[in-house]
């Protein structure tokens, strides 16, 4: 076993605490930069122009940001170090041409070659084609229909809007208006991207949505889409009244705008809701549009040379984990900084009823969301983790205990029938929806996942619940069923099998389930898997490519956040061992002088196989938790 100086570990912990405290905002919260691939910026450029907004200073910085992130083969990737993505590259190429870059530019020429080699615009996903259609670069004939009349479909119908995941639901409601109206923003010839078609015939005659096997649900949707095209044509030719449906969708959208101007606190439905309303005749000085445009500024991180547009912000999530890391590393419960965090977290508890209420009419609110403002779409993961954070703090009034109690009651009521927990809704898992045409760029369902389920179990255990109660017993059965053959567990919201496996091992340990329990053999296999995939330098690293492959894909280098997750899982299941020592040595040797860690790779989930995230503070609060847990074990061993 390696010999690690415990005094040095204490120093690493103290410096990490100091760094994390230096990142706290005066109001009591933490929020790190949430970064995605460059298409968030490149797509924003034409869409914001569609809304009639122009800012040449920001656009120049956007161009520099895009050009500086191009790969050597001319492409742009979905995540740092990843292979080139056709859709990200098309959207970025279009954004750059929109800003005035000439096609003879060497970087554009390389991008064009990559795009054509990958199949051209014809091979792009639906989202890319919608963006191009808005600007006359793709025919609306090739875009799948979403009739606004979908708003009328009742709950008992095979498909209705509340069968879609919350993020998909809010997006397709905006799309239903846009696709019904089929607007086109006129470009000048220099901005056109028709050169990206491999077959020029497809400009006027696009290939419709393509499905898989002849008997697949995807082909049923294809046939249904053809019928919807005829329905749409009848509306346009015979002037059949569609306005009532559009008006109902319009009201649905407006009713769900948040106080900060967003929709759901995330960029995709936000931008397209603004575009849908703009198409309906709303001016930029209308209160809804004005508030929406003003709120976008808070999502832009602007430096001296670049701008980065965040797809969302994560203050509640970052604050809860920062509190947990600081408390578990020894900061007192009544520390003034943590008292500020307590007040801020309490102020963010959601008491309004959101879309989740549709499937849970008897459930009382008392939950938390991920973002600064998002009362319609609180989530189970945040509610569980915030409940854990609050339980570690001091509040003489007892208000935080009441808040935790309400939060946990809400979480328990949101458990799926299969024993799992998902992100936003209960039993949002109609498999018929998996093959809708829009599933090629946005995950249409909110399935339960091992990582969220394990988070809930971990929190319930820490709050004193035992494995004998029904919800925990059902969840454990789900966890056992969902283990992979190699011993790992899938991680939906963190990359990927390292994240999921870590969370399960920690949950089992918190519940006191050891080798002699029914889940014991599963935990043993999970721990062995961690030891098998450890890197030579002592750390761990997994690529976002794991989602595409459906199995663990090594990153080739170690990351601070994933090393911390692996350590937390191994310490929970194996205690002090040689692999843990090596992992701790890796974190110790890679800590920066200011107490932080460096991390370029994306380790956050988004839409698997389509969209990934880099949480700036993952590299800091999770390593602090891992080092603190290691030191506790060492201290316990030394005390006998």
């Amino acid at each position: 076993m390696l010999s690690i100086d415990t005094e040095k570990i204490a120093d690493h912990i103290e410096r990490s605490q100091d760094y994390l405290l230096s990142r706290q905002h005066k109001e009591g919260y933490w929020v790190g930069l949430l970064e995605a691939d460059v298409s968030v910026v490149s797509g924003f450029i034409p869409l914001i122009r569609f809304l009639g907004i122009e800012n040449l200073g920001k656009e120049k910085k956007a161009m520099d940001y895009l050009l500086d992130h191009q790969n050597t083969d001319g492409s742009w990737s979905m995540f740092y170090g990843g292979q080139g993505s056709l859709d990200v590259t098309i959207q970025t190429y279009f954004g750059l041409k929109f800003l005035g870059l000439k096609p003879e530019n060497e970087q554009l020429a390389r991008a064009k070659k990559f795009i054509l080699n990958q199949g051209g615009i014809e091979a792009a996903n639906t989202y890319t084609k919608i963006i191009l259609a808005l600007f006359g670069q793709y025919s609306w004939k090739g875009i799948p229909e979403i009739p606004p009349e979908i708003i009328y479909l009742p709950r008992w119908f095979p498909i209705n809007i509340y069968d879609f995941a919350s993020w998909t639901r809010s997006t397709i409601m905006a799309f239903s208006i846009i696709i019904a109206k089929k607007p086109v923003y006129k470009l000048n010839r220099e901005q056109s991207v028709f050169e990206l078609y491999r077959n020029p015939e497809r400009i006027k005659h696009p290939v419709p949505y393509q499905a898989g096997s002849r008997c697949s649900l995807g082909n049923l949707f294809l046939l249904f889409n053809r019928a919807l095209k005829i329905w749409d044509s009848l509306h346009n030719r015979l002037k059949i009244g569609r306005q009532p449906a559009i008006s109902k969708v319009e009201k649905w959208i407006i009713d769900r705008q948040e106080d900060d101007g967003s929709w759901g606190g995330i960029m995709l439905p936000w931008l397209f809701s603004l575009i849908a309303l703009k198409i309906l005749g709303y001016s930029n000085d209308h209160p809804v549009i004005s508030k929406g445009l003003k709120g976008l500024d808070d999502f832009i991180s602007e430096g001296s040379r670049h701008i980065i547009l965040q797809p969302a912000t994560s203050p509640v999530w970052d604050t809860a984990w920062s509190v947990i890391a600081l408390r578990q590393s020894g900061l007192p419960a009544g520390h003034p900084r943590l008292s500020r965090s307590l007040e801020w977290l309490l102020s963010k508890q959601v008491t309004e009823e959101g879309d989740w209420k549709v499937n849970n009419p008897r459930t009382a609110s008392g939950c938390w969301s991920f973002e600064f403002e998002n009362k319609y779409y609180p989530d189970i993961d945040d509610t569980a983790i915030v409940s854990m954070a609050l339980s570690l703090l001091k509040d003489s009034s007892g208000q935080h205990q009441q808040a935790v109690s309400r939060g946990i009651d809400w979480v328990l009521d949101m458990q799926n029938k299969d024993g799992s927990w998902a992100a936003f809704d209960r039993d949002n898992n109609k498999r018929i929806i998996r093959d809708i045409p829009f599933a090629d760029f946005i995950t249409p369902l909110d399935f339960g996942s091992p990582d969220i389920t394990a988070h809930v179990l971990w929190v319930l255990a820490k709050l004193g619940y035992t494995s004998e109660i029904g919800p925990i017993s059902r969840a454990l059965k789900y966890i056992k069923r969902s283990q992979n053959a190699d011993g790992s567990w899938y991680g939906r919201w963190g990359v990927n099998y390292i994240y999921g496996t870590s969370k399960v091992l920690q949950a089992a340990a918190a519940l006191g389930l050891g080798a002699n329990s029914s889940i014991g053999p599963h935990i043993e296999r999970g721990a062995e898997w961690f030891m098998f995939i450890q890197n030579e330098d002592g750390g761990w690293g997994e690529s976002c490519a794991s989602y595409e492959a459906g199995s663990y894909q090594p990153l080739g280098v170690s990351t601070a956040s994933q090393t911390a997750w692996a350590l937390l899982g191994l310490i929970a299941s194996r205690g002090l061992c040689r692999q843990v020592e090596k992992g701790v040595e890796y974190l110790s040797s890679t800590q920066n002088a200011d107490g932080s860690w460096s991390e370029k790779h994306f380790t956050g989930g988004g839409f698997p196989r389509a969209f990934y995230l880099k949480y700036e503070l993952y590299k800091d609060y999770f390593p602090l938790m891992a080092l603190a847990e290691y030191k506790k074990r060492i201290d316990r061993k030394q005390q006998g």
Side-chain angles (χ1 to χ4, degrees):
M1 199 175 274
L2 297 172
S3 175
I4 300 178
D5 189 332
T6 54
E7 289 186 7
K8 286 186 177 179
I9 294 298
D11 176 65
H12 288 299
I13 290 171
E14 185 177 354
R15 285 193 286 127
S16 178
Q17 289 176 328
D18 289 344
Y19 175 77
L20 205 51
L21 287 170
S22 75
R23 293 295 305 268
Q24 186 183 27
H25 290 252
K26 61 182 181 180
E27 293 90 344
Y29 66 85
W30 280 264
V31 62
L33 183 69
L34 189 62
E35 190 175 354
D37 65 66
V38 299
S39 68
V40 179
V41 172
S42 61
F44 180 75
I45 294 164
L47 293 178
I48 206 71
R49 285 276 193 96
F50 190 101
L51 292 168
I53 305 297
E54 185 174 340
N55 187 318
L56 297 179
K58 281 187 170 61
E59 290 176 353
K60 174 63 170 65
K61 290 182 179 181
M63 180 185 287
D64 289 341
Y65 170 76
L66 297 175
L67 292 173
D68 287 351
H69 283 76
Q70 189 177 29
N71 298 324
T72 55
D73 65 356
S75 69
W76 284 267
S77 305
M78 282 191 284
F79 53 88
Y80 179 83
Q83 292 184 340
S85 162
L86 173 64
D87 290 287
V88 175
T89 305
I90 291 174
Q91 291 171 42
T92 305
Y93 183 101
F94 178 49
L96 288 168
K97 283 203 73 179
F98 197 94
L99 290 176
L101 210 61
K102 304 300 181 184
E104 56 268 21
N105 175 276
E106 187 269 335
Q107 287 184 261
L108 274 188
R110 283 192 286 122
K112 175 184 173 182
K113 182 178 179 181
F114 173 86
I115 291 166
L116 293 175
N117 285 341
Q118 295 293 314
I121 286 174
E122 299 97 311
N125 68 24
T126 306
Y127 176 69
T128 301
K129 290 173 178 176
I130 288 173
I131 292 178
L132 295 176
L134 280 168
F135 295 89
Q137 304 301 293
Y138 189 80
S139 172
W140 284 109
K141 295 176 183 177
I143 302 297
E145 295 292 323
I146 305 178
E149 289 82 4
I150 193 175
I151 193 76
Y152 291 128
L153 297 179
R155 292 289 297 120
W156 53 262
F157 198 76
I159 296 177
N160 69 84
I161 61 170
Y162 296 101
D163 289 328
F164 292 92
S166 61
W167 53 83
T168 308
R169 182 187 318 140
S170 52
T171 302
I172 65 174
M173 283 292 91
F175 280 170
S176 72
I177 290 176
I178 295 168
I179 295 171
K181 294 291 187 179
K182 299 176 175 51
V184 174
Y185 179 104
K186 298 295 184 183
L187 299 181
N188 60 49
R189 184 175 298 178
E190 289 74 24
Q191 293 171 315
S192 167
V193 293
F194 290 141
E195 68 271 18
L196 299 183
Y197 283 87
R198 288 184 68 170
N199 181 356
E201 281 293 310
R202 297 306 182 195
I203 297 174
K204 292 183 178 180
H205 305 287
V207 177
Y209 164 67
Q210 298 294 300
S213 65
R214 302 177 81 181
C215 297
S216 70
L217 283 173
N219 270 298
L220 290 178
F221 278 116
L222 175 56
L223 292 172
F224 185 54
N225 183 62
R226 289 174 182 166
L228 289 176
K229 289 287 184 188
I230 296 172
W231 174 253
D232 183 68
S233 177
L234 286 173
H235 273 297
N236 294 330
R237 291 178 184 177
L238 304 180
K239 306 299 181 184
I240 298 173
R242 170 164 267 183
Q243 190 54 45
I246 290 176
S247 296
K248 193 171 179 66
V249 174
E250 175 187 352
K251 182 179 184 305
W252 190 96
I253 291 172
I254 292 173
D255 286 347
R256 281 160 178 76
Q257 187 179 33
E258 297 291 343
D259 292 340
D260 64 354
S262 73
W263 276 266
I266 54 178
M267 191 56 60
L268 191 61
W270 190 347
L271 277 174
F272 284 102
S273 292
L274 289 174
I275 287 172
L277 296 175
K278 184 80 171 178
I279 291 166
L280 293 179
Y282 285 65
S283 64
N284 284 1
D285 58 4
H286 186 282
V288 173
I289 301 289
S290 176
K291 184 165 67 170
L293 291 173
K294 186 174 183 294
L296 286 170
D297 289 339
D298 293 333
F299 278 55
I300 295 174
S301 174
E302 185 171 2
S304 60
R305 190 163 178 270
H306 290 167
I307 66 162
I308 296 174
L309 183 68
Q310 300 178 95
T313 56
S314 54
V316 175
W317 186 246
D318 284 336
T319 301
W321 279 116
S322 295
V323 167
I324 292 170
L326 289 166
R327 281 290 291 119
Q328 291 189 342
S329 61
L331 213 65
H335 192 283
R337 293 289 199 93
L338 297 184
S339 296
R340 270 187 258 162
S341 300
L342 183 145
E343 292 175 7
W344 187 84
L345 286 171
L346 288 176
S347 74
K348 290 299 172 183
Q349 188 165 33
V350 177
T351 56
E352 294 92 342
E353 295 177 351
D355 279 6
W356 57 269
K357 189 77 172 180
V358 173
N359 287 330
N360 304 272
R362 296 185 180 87
T363 300
S365 190
C367 28
W368 280 269
S369 300
F370 182 76
E371 304 88 353
F372 284 109
E373 302 290 343
N374 185 3
K375 58 182 176 287
Y376 294 104
Y377 303 107
D379 68 277
I380 291 144
D381 221 359
D382 274 276
T383 301
I385 298 304
V386 171
S387 297
M388 175 68 177
L390 289 176
S391 73
L392 298 173
L393 300 177
K394 274 187 180 179
D395 176 17
S396 57
S397 70
Q399 186 182 358
H400 76 307
Q401 295 173 343
Q402 297 171 21
V404 168
S405 179
R406 292 178 65 184
I408 293 301
D409 286 346
W410 185 80
V411 167
L412 291 172
D413 276 351
M414 296 293 285
Q415 187 175 28
N416 293 327
K417 290 176 184 176
D418 66 0
S420 69
W421 277 273
F424 294 91
D425 284 300
R426 185 175 71 182
D427 295 321
N428 184 260
N429 52 19
K430 277 191 177 178
R431 293 185 176 271
I432 189 174
I433 292 177
R434 288 182 310 175
D435 296 309
I436 64 167
F438 295 90
D440 62 356
F441 79 90
I442 187 169
T443 307
L445 293 170
D446 188 8
F447 285 107
S449 62
D451 49 313
I452 296 179
T453 303
H455 272 161
V456 173
L457 291 176
W458 181 62
V459 172
L460 291 175
K462 294 292 186 180
L463 294 177
Y465 291 80
T466 65
S467 57
E468 283 74 33
I469 72 165
I472 292 181
S473 177
R474 292 194 298 273
L476 287 172
K477 289 177 183 176
Y478 164 80
I479 289 292
K480 287 188 281 188
R481 291 195 308 271
S482 61
Q483 187 174 27
N484 298 314
D486 63 4
S488 66
W489 278 272
Y490 176 78
R492 166 67 178 84
W493 297 97
V495 180
N496 169 344
Y497 299 100
I498 289 177
Y499 186 77
T501 307
S502 170
K503 304 304 180 179
V504 170
L505 298 189
Q506 291 177 73
L511 287 164
L513 301 175
N516 296 325
S517 67
S518 63
I519 202 173
H522 297 268
I523 298 305
E524 180 66 17
R525 287 168 55 211
E528 289 176 354
W529 178 79
F530 265 141
M531 293 187 285
F532 178 74
I533 66 163
Q534 188 173 24
N535 294 331
E536 285 294 323
D537 63 7
W540 283 262
E542 180 177 2
S543 170
C544 297
S546 289
Y547 290 101
E548 186 72 41
S551 61
Y552 169 76
Q553 300 296 305
L555 185 60
V557 296
S558 298
T559 69
S561 59
Q562 292 170 324
T563 297
W565 294 336
L567 281 173
L568 287 164
L570 266 184
I571 293 171
S573 57
R574 285 293 181 92
L576 300 175
C577 60
R578 180 175 58 85
Q579 289 82 1
V580 166
E581 296 276 352
K582 287 180 65 180
V584 169
E585 181 63 34
Y586 171 82
L587 286 182
S588 301
S589 64
T590 55
Q591 187 180 31
N592 298 321
D594 65 357
S596 69
W597 280 265
S598 298
E599 189 166 280
K600 294 180 179 179
H601 292 88
F602 288 32
T603 63
F607 301 139
R609 298 184 296 279
F611 189 75
Y612 303 99
L613 298 168
K614 176 186 174 186
Y615 290 77
E616 182 188 5
L617 293 180
Y618 271 17
K619 64 180 177 55
D620 298 306
Y621 46 66
F622 286 120
L624 174 57
M625 288 177 64
L627 292 179
E629 189 60 33
Y630 172 77
K631 187 175 184 301
K632 285 179 189 175
R633 296 293 181 115
I634 290 290
D635 291 345
R636 201 178 303 159
K637 182 178 180 181
Q638 291 176 346
Q639 291 166 8

